[in-house]
């Protein structure tokens, strides 16, 4: 199986609607204070809220962390 075809693990962890950590992200399409659009191997993911900040992006495992008021 080619490396591009390998499935990354997918996990979402939401803590008190203030912190969201995700794995399996292949690309951050766009982000601003109101929305973060992410691409995963299973499709696009839209995270909406207020005062959103992209805190980390780790290429290993496709991990992304978002903080703010997540709707």
């Amino acid at each position: 199986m080619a490396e591009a075809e390998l499935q990354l693990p997918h996990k979402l962890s939401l803590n008190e609607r203030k912190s969201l950590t995700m794995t399996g992200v292949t690309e951050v399409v766009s982000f601003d204070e109101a929305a973060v659009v992410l691409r995963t191997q299973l499709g696009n993911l839209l995270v909406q809220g207020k005062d959103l900040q992209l805190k980390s992006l780790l290429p290993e495992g496709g991990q992304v962390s978002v903080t703010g008021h997540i709707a």
Side-chain angles (χ1 to χ4, degrees):
M1 182 180 287
E3 185 175 329
E5 295 174 1
L6 291 176
Q7 287 288 329
L8 294 173
H10 289 78
K11 181 178 178 181
L12 293 170
S13 177
L14 180 60
N15 185 18
E16 297 181 5
R17 292 192 178 260
K18 294 179 184 175
S19 173
L20 177 65
T21 302
M22 299 152 281
T23 60
V25 176
T26 58
E27 178 184 0
V28 176
V29 177
S30 66
F31 68 93
D32 59 31
E33 291 183 349
V36 179
V37 180
L38 305 165
R39 183 164 292 130
T40 74
Q41 290 178 325
L42 299 176
N44 289 344
L45 176 65
L46 171 64
V47 178
Q48 294 179 311
K50 293 189 297 187
D51 302 322
L52 299 179
Q53 296 180 357
L54 193 59
K55 284 297 185 185
S56 67
L57 172 60
L58 302 175
E60 311 84 31
Q63 183 172 332
V64 173
S65 293
V66 176
T67 61
H69 302 285
I70 299 164

